[in-house]
Amino acid sequence: MGTEYSIQISLPSVGDEEWHALRDPLENGWLTQGPKVAEFERVFAEKHQVEYSLATTSCTTALHLALVALGIGPGDEVIIPAFTWVATANVVAYCGATPIFADVNPETYNIDVQDALRRVSSKTKVVIPVHLFGLCADVDLLREGLPGHVFILEDAACAAGAKYGNKFAGSLGDAAAFSFHPRKIITTGEGGMLLTHKGSIAEQANILRNHGASISEEQRHNGPHPYLMPDFNLLGFNYRMTDLQGAVGLVQLEKLERFIQERSQWAKWYREALKHIPWLKCPEEPKNGRHAWQAFVMFVHPDLAPMPRNDIMDILQSKGISTRPGTHAVHMLKYYKEKYDFDAVDYPNAYDCDRNTMAIPLHNCMTDRDYQYIVETLESLS
Ligand SMILES: *Cc1c(COP(=O)(O)O)cnc(C)c1O
């Protein structure tokens, strides 16, 4: 059998509109954070119904910025799910704070709220629920159980356009961070966005994003005194997005609804087409809300599957179908495992998900035939 197929796990859907959008900043010479970024921030915040928005270089830097703006440092504890992308833990470590892992719910792959609440201590300052693969974590249940002073920072990297009830991801906690990496639903190459309802967080994060400068480049550009330099009262960073990215982001944002609708239709189609395979469990649409379908991550039952998951992934690869494990059990990554002396069994569900999940291709550059071929190939393994 030849491999006429080559179906990527993910491909950014970009075209002529993004290409043309780059013309403006390239011609007018404003390449770093400027009018395109400001417009992208405004439209993104409006879409997610949150007051303040700050574009950044990535979701990782948006999360870091939020933690620093909240004053998180050594001695503080931040609760995060054990099954997530490593960045969720790393940003806590960047602050010198301690990540406290909580196990996940294997039905949703999201943080197990009861387990998270059991781990709250007098040092807990923040909980970071992750909306993994585009499904919102149960933020209301978390808020109900948490002491009032503990902040909720949503890791909404995968959740642009996702809904929890009728509220958008990013509007559920005190602050939220999104990603525009090409693996996510909309992309700017690299890029991120910090959203918050709180003016104090936005103001602090805005200063920290630009080296801690007391006046912005824009103010300096438009200001009357050429000799005025900003003062630097804080240790800040350069986490600014470029206007080239802002211009692309604006075009991508216009396509967000279509991207999600398309993905949602195919997710439904996958569930129907694969439901007779007893060793594969498909992800569900939430009863109350909207999945953004950043990824379609299935659970491969180890006792029912005809062979180990990794062998299944190898066979699919040889037939031109890319797959990936859902994400990591972060407590088993060497840096964290050695630093905190973790065992696999400390977070059994996260470990199970790490071993047994498999994402199959679902994105906006696939044809009907691609989807059919993937299902036929999975059926042939049964
Ligand atoms: C992708 C991802 C991140 C990191 O996003 P970047 O923009 O690449 O920094 C963080 N958390 C989760 C859950 C992610 O999936």
Side-chain angles (χ1 to χ4, degrees), residues 121-378:
S121 80
S122 59
K123 295 178 183 167
T124 306
K125 295 287 162 57
V126 181
V127 179
I128 309 182
V130 178
H131 305 320
L132 205 59
F133 313 132
L135 177 67
C136 286
D138 198 345
V139 177
D140 283 353
L141 194 65
L142 188 62
R143 184 74 278 171
E144 261 171 47
L146 279 180
H149 67 273
V150 175
F151 291 101
I152 294 180
L153 170 59
E154 299 166 64
D155 181 338
C158 312
K163 281 183 179 172
Y164 176 75
N166 53 17
K167 289 193 289 186
F168 277 98
S171 72
L172 312 172
D174 298 289
F178 291 82
S179 174
F180 308 123
H181 182 278
R183 261 297 302 263
K184 316 301 181 181
I185 305 154
I186 57 171
T187 188
T188 59
E190 297 275 2
M193 187 77 76
L194 175 60
L195 295 186
T196 179
H197 299 294
K198 297 203 160 124
S200 54
I201 296 177
E203 197 181 319
Q204 195 75 352
N206 190 29
I207 295 168
L208 290 164
R209 174 177 60 172
N210 185 31
H211 305 284
S214 58
I215 59 170
S216 72
E217 287 300 312
E218 241 170 334
Q219 281 170 310
R220 196 150 72 95
H221 189 78
N222 299 323
H225 301 302
Y227 54 83
L228 261 190
M229 287 282 275
D231 205 346
F232 296 87
N233 310 318
L234 297 168
L235 177 64
F237 316 95
N238 175 358
Y239 286 170
R240 298 181 312 251
M241 177 182 271
T242 68
D243 250 30
L244 297 169
Q245 292 167 297
V248 171
L250 273 166
V251 175
Q252 285 272 294
L253 195 51
E254 274 176 37
K255 302 179 178 179
L256 175 62
E257 279 302 314
R258 175 169 64 78
F259 285 171
I260 294 178
Q261 271 162 26
E262 229 175 80
R263 286 169 184 238
S264 170
Q265 273 168 18
W266 282 111
K268 188 173 173 198
W269 186 85
Y270 265 149
R271 280 197 302 275
E272 270 306 301
L274 295 170
K275 70 178 178 195
H276 65 283
I277 301 184
W279 50 272
L280 272 179
K281 190 173 70 140
C282 290
E284 299 289 333
E285 193 73 48
K287 282 178 207 77
N288 190 11
R290 175 166 81 168
H291 205 308
W293 298 108
Q294 179 263 335
F296 192 85
V297 179
M298 295 185 297
F299 192 87
V300 181
H301 287 286
D303 303 333
L304 304 176
M307 62 193 92
R309 180 202 64 175
N310 292 354
D311 293 355
I312 293 171
M313 293 174 74
D314 276 339
I315 291 178
L316 292 172
Q317 185 69 35
S318 73
K319 293 181 185 286
I321 301 169
S322 292
T323 63
R324 295 283 185 279
T327 187
H328 306 285
V330 178
H331 71 295
M332 293 311 286
L333 299 176
K334 191 169 175 194
Y335 177 79
Y336 291 100
K337 183 176 163 31
E338 289 189 352
K339 188 167 180 181
Y340 299 106
D341 197 22
F342 286 129
D343 271 326
V345 294
D346 292 338
Y347 302 95
N349 293 338
Y351 185 68
D352 231 30
C353 290
D354 177 304
R355 291 295 140 128
N356 298 312
T357 52
M358 176 173 79
I360 60 173
L362 175 76
H363 54 80
N364 302 100
C365 300
M366 288 171 65
T367 64
D368 297 15
R369 191 71 201 93
D370 291 337
Y371 287 105
Q372 275 157 17
Y373 174 69
I374 291 166
V375 166
E376 282 161 21
T377 309
L378 283 168

Side-chain angles (χ1 to χ4, degrees), residues 3-22:
T3 51
E4 59 167 311
Y5 278 96
S6 172
I7 309 174
Q8 305 300 314
I9 188 69
S10 170
L11 269 182
S13 178
V14 288
D16 279 351
E17 298 91 342
E18 285 80 359
W19 173 246
H20 288 300
L22 288 167

